[in-house]
Amino acid sequence: MKISVYTLTSSIHDPKVIERNSKDFMDGIAEAAGCEFDVRGEDFSDYNDAEMSVIFVRTGGTEGKFKKVFPQIKGYVRLLTSGMSNSLAASMEILSFLRQNGRQGEILHGSSSYIAQHLKTDYIVEQARKKLNGARLGVIGAPSDWLIASNADRDAVRSKLGIELVDIRIEELVDEYNKIDTSSEEWENIRKETAFRQFDDKASEMLSKYRDGAFKIYLALNNIIDRYQLRGFTIRCFDLLTSIKNTGCVALAMFNSRGIIASCEGDIPAMLTMTIGQALTGTTGFQANPSRIDVDRNEITFAHCTVPLNMVRSYTYDTHFESGIGIGIKGEFETGSVTIAKVSGDMSRSWFCNAELVNNLSERNLCRTQIVLRGEGFADYFLTKPIGNHHIIFNGDVKQLFDTFMKRI
């Protein structure tokens, strides 16, 4: 992690004292953060080209200097201060000036460990924003008819995330599916995939009639991804039940395991949440429906018929729940800390919550992968102000990353 540091220092202070104090202060942060500081001084000419920038307000009396370089500075502004030599007071004046001019920023002030943790979070967020910029996500078919609140404001998605949504007809996927030749080299390659090789061990004999179709859907989607240069997609998957007599659950599980975002039911906000989460954490989340809430126990049950294969400790194959045909995934999670996440399609709302995954279920009246989470505030959010029905579960406590990311956009 390399951070460019630009300095503001008043000429009335003893430069030797300021340099000595500044070095001790910066060394403490660098050690705590495990980062490298590239101190650029007061030359702000390459400020906007840096991987991540911080303005070290070393003394008071530097507000006028900042005002002069302000026209050169773009993006979110981080003002670092040790609190010595009236630097905090100057930083507060500068931050007020920024807000008066419609700009966002903050003051980094506190212990070395506090500032270090803040910088590490900011660095991850900055890298995530760069990863998302220019990404293309496919919308294969429209959102399912029941997702009446799960479309997207494409202009907001483009302006805030830098993501382009690409519309693709579901018929194009079906045509691609019908072209798959199970005697081709392409098919031989899919037979080498772990999910295919383990099918006989993980699926009952009655599911064998759906196997080739499920993996043909994967290959057809892979061709669509290559054709449109997609980072991920959401698919109106229930249409496949009638057109192909199969489901996309296996394909979506495999793509998510590869790091290619794959969302169900044409749910664009769910796809966006998964994409943001992957950029922040490097891992893919589990898209699922809240099935029931136990208000007294502060528990919620989530379920869906697909899950990233590399997110669970084990998995087996089952039928798709609602239709009873095709192939779904029944995954078993490790217990432990998780984060529930959701952003709205116009990027105006978001909700992130830490929780504890306490149990896996095996009920026949729910989608096949079933987990129970324990946390706080479930009833208040889910029963009064939810953002659609699907939510995304990520392993680990990553709420702060999501919170910081949404503040930045």
Side-chain angles (χ1 to χ4, degrees):
M1 181 169 74
K2 187 174 183 178
I3 301 173
S4 296
V5 180
Y6 299 81
T7 61
L8 293 175
T9 311
S10 169
S11 59
I12 65 173
H13 290 82
D14 185 333
K16 291 183 179 179
V17 174
I18 296 300
E19 287 295 334
R20 182 174 62 252
N21 291 341
S22 297
K23 185 178 185 309
D24 292 342
F25 177 64
M26 297 293 286
D27 286 349
I29 298 171
E31 182 179 357
C35 71
E36 177 186 353
F37 286 127
D38 179 16
V39 181
R40 312 305 297 259
E42 297 194 2
D43 180 5
F44 285 73
S45 59
D46 63 349
Y47 178 90
N48 302 304
D49 299 326
E51 198 169 337
M52 190 172 101
S53 300
V54 171
I55 299 175
F56 184 11
V57 183
R58 304 203 296 182
T59 70
T62 51
E63 298 88 337
K65 287 190 172 185
F66 177 83
K67 188 175 182 179
K68 287 182 181 179
V69 299
F70 174 63
Q72 301 174 240
I73 297 172
K74 301 187 184 303
Y76 193 84
V77 179
R78 299 170 192 84
L79 302 170
L80 176 64
T81 171
S82 65
M84 293 184 287
S85 305
N86 288 325
S87 57
L88 178 58
S91 298
M92 292 168 62
E93 187 74 14
I94 292 170
L95 183 58
S96 300
F97 173 80
L98 280 167
R99 295 190 179 281
Q100 287 176 357
N101 284 272
R103 295 286 298 281
Q104 287 190 320
E106 66 180 319
I107 297 169
L108 302 177
H109 177 70
S111 66
S112 294
S113 59
Y114 172 82
I115 295 173
Q117 184 57 50
H118 208 100
L119 288 174
K120 286 192 286 188
T121 298
D122 263 20
Y123 185 85
I124 292 170
V125 167
E126 285 299 312
Q127 299 314 301
R129 293 184 67 183
K130 291 175 183 177
K131 291 175 187 175
L132 294 176
N133 191 42
R136 290 163 57 85
L137 299 177
V139 181
I140 304 175
S144 295
D145 294 342
W146 49 88
L147 294 183
I148 61 175
S150 297
N151 215 311
D153 180 333
R154 292 164 185 251
D155 290 338
V157 171
R158 186 182 299 108
S159 64
K160 291 182 179 293
L161 299 178
I163 289 175
E164 179 185 358
L165 299 176
V166 181
D167 290 310
I168 302 164
R169 295 168 63 248
I170 193 75
E171 292 80 7
E172 184 172 347
L173 173 63
V174 175
D175 289 344
E176 201 64 39
Y177 171 90
N178 290 327
K179 294 176 187 175
I180 302 297
D181 180 1
T182 55
S183 64
S184 65
E185 181 180 351
E186 185 181 32
W187 184 254
E188 285 304 309
N189 288 334
I190 194 66
R191 288 170 61 88
K192 299 173 185 176
E193 292 275 356
T194 301
F196 192 104
R197 287 189 291 103
Q198 295 182 349
F199 186 87
D200 290 342
D201 294 332
K202 294 180 178 289
S204 63
E205 187 176 345
M206 58 94 59
L207 291 177
S208 59
K209 62 182 178 180
Y210 298 116
R211 183 197 63 184
D212 286 2
F215 288 97
K216 283 174 66 176
I217 292 171
Y218 171 80
L219 287 177
L221 283 166
N222 201 58
N223 292 341
I224 294 288
I225 289 168
D226 290 344
R227 181 176 305 150
Y228 289 95
Q229 298 181 306
L230 303 178
R231 190 87 59 86
F233 64 88
T234 186
I235 178 173
R236 188 181 168 97
C237 47
F238 273 73
D239 283 15
L240 301 180
L241 294 172
T242 53
S243 60
I244 297 177
K245 303 297 189 295
N246 214 320
T247 66
C249 304
V250 172
L252 270 57
M254 294 173 67
F255 280 118
N256 281 319
S257 297
R258 285 175 51 191
I260 297 173
I261 297 302
S263 161
C264 312
E265 301 175 38
D267 191 330
I268 301 175
M271 172 179 65
L272 294 173
T273 307
M274 294 170 78
T275 305
I276 292 168
Q278 187 197 54
L280 289 170
T281 68
T283 60
T284 310
F286 169 40
Q287 175 186 342
N289 294 314
S291 299
R292 59 176 178 256
I293 299 173
D294 187 327
V295 177
D296 294 328
R297 294 173 60 87
N298 292 318
E299 291 182 352
I300 184 168
T301 299
F302 281 95
H304 226 207
C305 282
T306 187
V307 65
L309 300 180
N310 63 349
M311 192 178 182
V312 291
R313 65 189 177 197
S314 64
Y315 67 91
T316 55
Y317 294 117
D318 202 337
T319 56
H320 177 251
F321 167 58
E322 288 91 345
S323 65
I325 67 172
I327 303 173
I329 307 290
K330 176 175 172 46
E332 292 279 329
F333 278 78
E334 296 283 359
T335 57
S337 178
V338 297
T339 302
I340 311 169
K342 190 65 182 294
V343 301
S344 64
D346 62 0
M347 305 309 298
S348 66
R349 289 188 62 207
S350 60
W351 185 78
F352 313 112
C353 179
N354 295 330
E356 191 77 10
L357 197 160
V358 295
N359 199 13
N360 294 276
L361 302 179
S362 297
E363 300 181 8
R364 295 308 296 174
N365 63 342
L366 291 177
C367 291
R368 302 316 185 194
T369 297
Q370 308 161 17
I371 55 175
V372 180
L373 308 185
R374 184 176 297 148
E376 299 292 334
F378 290 158
D380 179 58
Y381 167 73
F382 286 104
L383 302 183
T384 66
K385 50 196 175 196
I387 304 174
N389 70 344
H390 293 127
H391 283 65
I392 315 302
I393 316 300
F394 291 89
N395 283 327
D397 177 0
V398 291
K399 180 180 183 296
Q400 185 181 11
L401 289 177
F402 278 105
D403 285 338
T404 303
F405 180 89
M406 293 307 293
K407 287 177 184 176
R408 296 293 181 268
I409 66 168

